[in-house]
Amino acid sequence: MLMMVVLLCCTGKAQDINGPENGDFRDTGTPGMNGRTDSLGHGNKEIPKGLKVWTVDERFGDRRAAEVDTMSHMFMNTPFTTGMRGEYNTTGNLGAPRINRIFIDRLQTGQFLFTQPYDYFITPVNQFHFTNTLSPITNISFNECGDKNNGEDHLKALFAVNAGKKIGAGMKFDYIYGRGYYQHQSTAHFNYTLYGSYLGDRYQAHLLVSTNHQKVSENGGITNDEYVSHPEIFQDDFRTDEIPTVLQKNWNRNDNQHVFLSHRYNIGFNRKVRMTADEIKAKKFAIEAQKDKEKRDRRKARDIKGDEEDEVSEPKTFAGRPEGARIAGTEPAENGREQKDSTRITVSSKAMADSLMNAMNSQKEDTSWMKNEFVPVTSIIHTAQFDNYKRIYQAYETPSNYYLHTYPLVDALGGDSIYDKMKHFELKNTIALSLLEGFNKWAKAGLKAFITSDLRRFTLPDSLDTRYRSYNEHNLSIGGQLIKTEGSLLHYKIGAETWLTGEDAGQLKIDGTADLNFKFLGDTVQLAAKAFIHRLNPEFYKRHYHGKHLWWDQEYDKEYHTRIEGVFSYRKTRTKLRVAVDNMKNYTYFSQSYGNENNVRSATSVTARQCSDNISLLTLQLNQDFTVGPLNWESQITYQETSKQEVLPVPKLNVYSNLYLKFLIAKVLTVNLGGDIRYFTSYQAPEYSPLIGQFTTQDNGENNIDIGNYPIINVYANMHLKHTRFYIMMSHVNAGDGGKRFFVPHYPLNGMVLRFGVSWNFFN
């Protein structure tokens, strides 16, 4: 299987670089492929290397510049489900569900909750990287650890190619297989994605098609945490794969397909502008290629004729003019005598002739490196998005008395087996009119207006009589956006949307961002602000859920959530400070309770709840990096304070720190050699419920469990050589025996593990 995928994808690359509007193509690796001999052996042919990458706004299809991910920095942390800086809680295995401990960094939830714990695998539309490349590019990345019994493998293949300047296309294959160091926790995820873009002057389009499959074996956690935290109290020495777990033969499966299309027609005008450096380079490259082709054609014609080809001589010139051209004030001689032309200017001296020639030359502007640029003024936009989901919770064995409730369902397999199946699809269409910034007298800033139709259908198992029950929701919303992106001092974007009809009638969203940039002590200081006001219905599955052991149909009030966030950034000192204040009312969440006698869990129940009280959350985050010679120290410290830990639990302190030496070997191999640590203070962390595949608050009173106050330390060598990144790492070197190595109650993390990863770029 692995070899088939590698052979399939080794035909070019994808992902990441500067924006398409004003960014230059960036080389995706160290130059080294120039001067390669072509297949005909006719001299040296330079293979152009460069890639632009951008993301697309889900509603309007606006392009935003993105960064290339071919940098080696932090590459060693890319395979971790716990995130680049260990900021996620997870049940431990590669590909396992996760939740961010830093609340302000949690993604806004969609209607289908069951795929949200896998946000590292399912890429949202507004985070997907579309590409434009100078030559076909392929990237293959592979990360692995362990062996065939307990190891983790992650294979990703990316391909990007262009058909001319306007059409870009590519594909992505992503495969995660985590066998797991503990029993019954294996994961298997597959993703196939195809994408394309057309960027013409008047018409532009983006198409994205993807399919995903996630299969997670659920073990419910280990039966007794002391197998890990205090192994010395047991007579036997248990390996991790010998520690008993609560569940076995239980699975959560998610299958989903997505189609996204955004296209627009632009109305505007043309103007002359100078080519960019990359465009000049590309034109020179094309001219040289054409000359090479003409030489090969002449050589081939000469070989066929069997004689020497006459050299074509260029006409001789004088003072920048072809020989024989007339000089102002004179006409060709007739009968040996020069004829005067009274309609021409008479040149009486050499100085006057030179002055006239200079004036004529100055009037001739060099337009060889100019191009026609189309300037859009107004855009008509249509965006369509279709999402199709299916989720199955399946079990063949369940411990006696493990669940509190049991309901008869049509798809029940009988006995203690479970087969909870639910489906959901959503079709969303948006039509928008955009007046671009600076070109409309009615709107000096950019202005957009839109209307959105959102059709949703949910299918849940129901009683034996009605079999399945479907819920249909059709919502209509309108809104607008005011945006300023030009200039270097001030930028802002303000958007609003309200729902007119349907289940979501009365909802309101107002979002705004702004940034101010100014010079200070030789560098740029940026002050940025974000704010929003949301009044929204709780997601469907918090209002309705039907399963063999869980069932609710509830009506909730709309949730109110406001946030004000400020960000201070100063590149000279490599400092970034974030301050955010959240306020929530009618916050809706899941809560789990169960009994636990003699390490046997019973009467497990999950409910959806709504807190009518106000909840406030303060977040302070500092990013600070230092470099002294080869020594680099990068840190992120986050402080959070919530008014209701029992409803919205977060750790007060979350720390990530990375200390490493950066140096070159033989002037070509870049090495980062060091270690990093992730740590958070103790708190009653969210539990994980296999029944709904979601994280929940703990509702066991004095039996609630504190998680945290335990560091995780990794040491690594992270390297970059030309077009290849690779690393070797020993993760969790401080594991030892014992310790509270849990990020989620009852789900221990892996011990010390040797890891390896590599990523290749290929240019065709």
Side-chain angles (χ1 to χ4, degrees):
M1 173 68 179
L2 175 62
M3 291 304 298
M4 290 178 62
V5 172
V6 172
L7 291 174
L8 174 65
C9 299
C10 283
T11 54
K13 163 178 176 182
Q15 293 266 302
D16 308 9
I17 188 149
N18 267 3
E21 283 92 354
N22 51 14
D24 294 334
F25 280 96
R26 185 177 299 175
D27 192 342
T28 55
T30 304
M33 302 209 40
N34 299 340
R36 189 164 119 189
T37 303
D38 66 20
S39 59
L40 298 177
H42 294 145
N44 292 333
K45 179 181 178 181
E46 179 180 345
I47 296 180
K49 301 187 298 294
L51 185 67
K52 287 182 182 179
V53 167
W54 63 93
T55 60
V56 170
D57 179 80
E58 289 186 35
R59 188 184 301 279
F60 302 114
D62 294 337
R63 292 177 289 158
R64 296 184 297 267
E67 288 294 329
V68 65
D69 72 350
T70 55
M71 301 299 293
S72 63
H73 181 247
M74 297 287 283
F75 176 60
M76 73 284 179
N77 285 351
T78 54
F80 288 127
T81 307
T82 54
M84 293 286 284
R85 294 175 174 82
E87 66 272 30
Y88 287 85
N89 286 354
T90 174
T91 57
N93 193 23
L94 175 70
R98 70 178 189 176
I99 185 172
N100 202 321
R101 289 192 299 275
I102 302 173
F103 181 78
I104 61 174
D105 288 336
R106 292 181 187 175
L107 298 178
Q108 291 189 2
T109 57
Q111 291 296 323
F112 198 75
L113 302 177
F114 308 109
T115 58
Q116 290 166 8
Y118 309 100
D119 58 350
Y120 56 88
F121 184 75
I122 301 176
T123 305
V125 170
N126 60 5
Q127 294 182 15
F128 187 84
H129 288 174
F130 289 86
T131 60
N132 188 293
T133 177
L134 294 179
S135 61
I137 304 175
T138 300
N139 173 265
I140 296 178
S141 300
F142 181 68
N143 299 277
E144 70 94 23
C145 72
D147 55 35
K148 63 180 181 180
N149 296 317
N150 55 22
E152 302 174 353
D153 297 319
H154 187 185
L155 172 67
K156 183 184 292 185
L158 306 166
F159 170 70
V161 68
N162 260 59
K165 296 180 180 180
K166 298 180 179 180
I167 301 176
M171 61 163 287
K172 182 182 81 168
F173 171 78
D174 200 352
Y175 171 58
I176 288 177
Y177 183 37
R179 289 171 285 280
Y181 284 83
Y182 295 84
Q183 296 185 60
H184 313 299
Q185 66 166 183
S186 64
T187 61
H189 301 332
F190 294 88
N191 165 264
Y192 303 92
T193 300
L194 297 174
Y195 68 91
S197 63
Y198 177 84
L199 301 180
D201 288 339
R202 296 192 178 274
Y203 182 74
Q204 298 179 353
H206 292 85
L207 176 65
L208 178 64
V209 181
S210 65
T211 180
N212 300 281
H213 171 75
Q214 300 96 43
K215 178 182 177 182
V216 176
S217 182
E218 303 284 10
N219 65 13
I222 61 177
T223 57
N224 189 344
D225 293 355
E226 291 185 342
Y227 281 116
V228 172
S229 57
H230 296 96
E232 69 279 0
I233 68 175
F234 298 94
Q235 293 182 352
D236 296 328
D237 186 13
F238 290 89
R239 299 195 313 266
T240 57
D241 59 358
E242 295 175 334
I243 296 175
T245 59
V246 175
L247 302 175
Q248 54 184 328
K249 297 184 179 180
N250 282 45
W251 297 272
N252 263 305
R253 305 172 191 265
N254 285 296
D255 289 279
N256 46 92
Q257 301 80 38
H258 310 273
V259 179
F260 171 80
L261 171 65
S262 179
H263 56 147
R264 65 172 61 197
Y265 182 78
N266 297 321
I267 303 171
F269 61 91
N270 288 283
R271 66 183 178 187
K272 285 280 189 180
V273 297
R274 184 168 177 81
M275 294 181 180
T276 65
D278 278 323
E279 289 169 334
I280 292 175
K281 180 180 178 181
K283 183 174 181 178
K284 290 181 178 179
F285 180 85
I287 292 173
E288 292 299 323
Q290 181 63 27
K291 288 182 178 179
D292 290 342
K293 181 179 182 301
E294 292 174 355
K295 288 181 180 179
R296 290 196 300 270
D297 291 343
R298 289 197 298 268
R299 188 181 299 113
K300 182 185 293 186
R302 183 188 62 202
D303 293 341
I304 293 174
K305 291 190 298 183
D307 55 3
E308 294 294 329
E309 182 184 13
D310 293 335
E311 293 294 332
V312 179
S313 59
E314 299 291 336
K316 295 180 180 179
T317 62
F318 175 75
R321 293 176 174 272
E323 187 177 21
R326 293 181 294 179
I327 305 297
T330 66
E331 288 293 328
E334 182 178 312
N335 298 326
R337 298 181 64 183
E338 188 176 89
Q339 301 294 319
K340 295 290 184 180
D341 184 355
S342 60
T343 64
R344 292 183 175 272
I345 299 173
T346 302
V347 179
S348 59
S349 66
K350 183 178 182 303
M352 185 175 179
D354 292 341
S355 176
L356 184 59
M357 291 293 294
N358 290 336
M360 292 173 61
N361 290 334
S362 65
Q363 294 176 0
K364 294 185 176 181
E365 182 182 0
D366 182 10
T367 60
S368 58
W369 305 112
M370 303 290 285
K371 66 175 182 179
N372 279 320
E373 179 184 70
F374 177 77
V375 180
V377 174
T378 302
S379 298
I380 302 171
I381 304 167
H382 172 238
T383 298
Q385 187 170 353
F386 176 76
D387 301 302
N388 186 49
Y389 298 92
K390 181 176 71 173
R391 182 253 182 175
I392 297 173
Y393 177 57
Q394 184 176 4
Y396 293 114
E397 293 183 12
T398 303
S400 60
N401 301 321
Y402 179 71
Y403 299 108
L404 180 62
H405 303 289
T406 299
Y407 304 94
L409 291 178
V410 63
D411 275 336
L413 300 179
D416 59 358
S417 298
I418 305 170
Y419 193 82
D420 293 346
K421 180 174 68 174
M422 47 202 66
K423 298 180 180 180
H424 163 58
F425 77 79
E426 183 173 15
L427 177 62
K428 185 181 293 186
N429 280 278
T430 296
I431 296 176
L433 179 67
S434 174
L435 306 179
L436 273 69
E437 180 179 352
F439 293 102
N440 291 275
K441 66 178 181 179
W442 304 112
K444 296 302 181 183
L447 181 64
K448 297 184 178 76
F450 67 89
I451 182 170
T452 296
S453 168
D454 188 3
L455 176 63
R456 305 193 293 249
R457 182 180 179 88
F458 305 87
T459 302
L460 298 176
D462 208 72
S463 65
L464 292 173
D465 295 332
T466 57
R467 297 180 62 83
Y468 286 92
R469 182 177 178 182
S470 295
Y471 297 79
N472 297 317
E473 299 179 354
H474 186 198
N475 301 285
L476 191 68
S477 65
I478 60 172
Q481 186 182 86
L482 187 68
I483 184 170
K484 181 183 184 300
T485 59
E486 293 186 354
S488 59
L489 179 63
L490 175 65
H491 311 106
Y492 58 82
K493 180 169 66 174
I494 303 172
E497 181 178 13
T498 186
W499 279 256
L500 304 178
T501 63
E503 181 71 20
D504 295 337
Q507 286 191 156
L508 175 67
K509 292 180 69 174
I510 301 175
D511 298 84
T513 62
D515 63 84
L516 180 66
N517 306 271
F518 57 90
K519 296 293 183 181
F520 180 72
L521 297 180
D523 210 332
T524 300
V525 172
Q526 183 181 82
L527 298 177
K530 298 179 182 179
F532 64 71
I533 300 173
H534 291 172
R535 185 182 67 207
L536 303 174
N537 277 332
E539 298 87 345
F540 176 84
Y541 293 102
K542 291 179 180 176
R543 294 180 277 126
H544 304 280
Y545 186 92
H546 298 174
K548 183 173 182 178
H549 298 291
L550 298 178
W551 193 297
W552 59 76
D553 289 293
Q554 305 182 78
E555 294 297 328
Y556 291 115
D557 294 330
K558 289 182 171 59
E559 297 179 332
Y560 290 81
H561 186 186
T562 63
R563 175 180 298 164
I564 300 175
E565 179 182 350
V567 181
F568 168 84
S569 301
Y570 189 38
R571 287 180 293 183
K572 189 171 185 177
T573 59
R574 299 163 70 188
T575 302
K576 182 178 180 181
L577 176 64
R578 297 173 70 190
V579 181
V581 177
D582 287 78
N583 189 272
M584 288 158 279
K585 183 178 175 59
N586 298 332
Y587 177 69
T588 311
Y589 62 101
F590 293 114
S591 181
Q592 178 173 250
S593 62
Y594 50 83
N596 193 347
E597 296 183 5
N598 299 321
N599 297 317
V600 177
R601 286 172 216 160
S602 61
T604 303
S605 178
V606 177
T607 59
R609 295 180 176 177
Q610 187 172 74
C611 177
S612 59
D613 297 335
N614 283 318
I615 302 174
S616 58
L617 175 70
L618 171 66
T619 305
L620 304 174
Q621 186 179 85
L622 174 66
N623 289 68
Q624 183 62 66
D625 300 340
F626 298 99
T627 298
V628 180
L631 183 65
N632 293 265
W633 186 17
E634 302 165 351
S635 299
Q636 183 185 86
I637 303 173
T638 305
Y639 173 81
Q640 299 177 104
E641 184 68 47
T642 175
S643 62
K644 281 192 173 294
Q645 276 282 0
E646 68 275 16
V647 175
L648 184 62
V650 292
K652 285 194 174 182
L653 193 64
N654 190 89
V655 178
Y656 174 80
S657 191
N658 183 23
L659 184 67
Y660 62 94
L661 294 171
K662 183 176 181 179
F663 54 90
L664 284 173
I665 296 179
K667 298 183 179 181
V668 292
L669 177 64
T670 302
V671 179
N672 294 346
L673 181 64
D676 61 3
I677 182 173
R678 62 257 318 128
Y679 168 86
F680 58 92
T681 53
S682 179
Y683 76 116
Q684 292 183 7
E687 287 195 293
Y688 175 71
S689 170
L691 285 77
I692 57 173
Q694 297 291 299
F695 288 91
T696 72
T697 62
Q698 301 184 49
D699 188 22
N700 297 303
E702 60 183 20
N703 294 322
N704 287 353
I705 298 172
D706 288 341
I707 297 296
N709 197 26
Y710 178 81
I712 304 291
I713 301 174
N714 302 337
V715 294
Y716 62 86
N718 185 38
M719 291 158 279
H720 184 218
L721 177 64
K722 293 188 176 180
H723 303 294
T724 305
R725 299 173 290 168
F726 56 99
Y727 69 87
I728 184 169
M729 167 190 285
M730 187 67 75
S731 63
H732 202 174
V733 295
N734 60 314
D737 292 328
K740 297 182 179 180
R741 59 174 193 257
F742 297 85
F743 278 7
V744 173
H746 313 307
Y747 288 87
L749 299 174
N750 296 336
M752 185 168 62
V753 178
L754 180 66
R755 300 175 180 272
F756 171 79
V758 63
S759 178
W760 297 278
N761 293 331
F762 302 93
F763 300 86
N764 291 354

